[in-house]
Amino acid sequence: MTKRFNRGYNAGIGDPTFLSIYLEHRFLKNNQGEIRLQGFDIFGQNTGIQRDILDNEIVDTRSNRLSTYFMLSFNYRLQNFGG
């Protein structure tokens, strides 16, 4: 979980809190298989507004981005050690 504090900038973005979680289960011999369900930006506070202050300029960037989403993945580890 991450928390971002914005100072000196009021564009309606507040201080967003980003929460990403995952749940995984390992199975098969030697835990070689893994299935994982991940959730990103659970609170939906990813607004896509960013301010960069450089030496003599201020750059405000607004971007369209994906907010809350979930991903299901399967991983299989291939291991072959001589022995």
Side-chain angles (χ1 to χ4, degrees):
M1 186 160 117
T2 60
K3 176 76 172 169
R4 183 173 183 174
F5 295 98
N6 299 301
R7 291 183 181 85
Y9 180 52
N10 186 6
I13 60 174
D15 292 326
T17 301
F18 301 109
L19 176 65
S20 297
I21 59 172
Y22 71 90
L23 178 66
E24 70 180 22
H25 176 69
R26 294 182 181 179
F27 56 98
L28 300 178
K29 184 179 177 183
N30 297 325
N31 289 327
Q32 286 182 293
E34 172 187 282
I35 190 162
R36 178 184 283 198
L37 176 64
Q38 292 177 275
F40 298 90
D41 191 20
I42 301 302
F43 299 141
Q45 295 189 8
N46 193 358
T47 59
I49 299 174
Q50 177 179 344
R51 172 172 271 195
D52 295 317
I53 301 174
L54 307 171
D55 291 336
N56 61 349
E57 64 181 323
I58 297 173
V59 179
D60 292 334
T61 306
R62 180 180 295 245
S63 55
N64 244 354
R65 53 175 67 171
L66 186 61
S67 185
T68 303
Y69 65 97
F70 295 89
M71 180 172 60
L72 180 66
S73 62
F74 172 75
N75 295 315
Y76 184 78
R77 288 194 315 256
L78 301 173
Q79 297 177 353
N80 188 10
F81 297 103

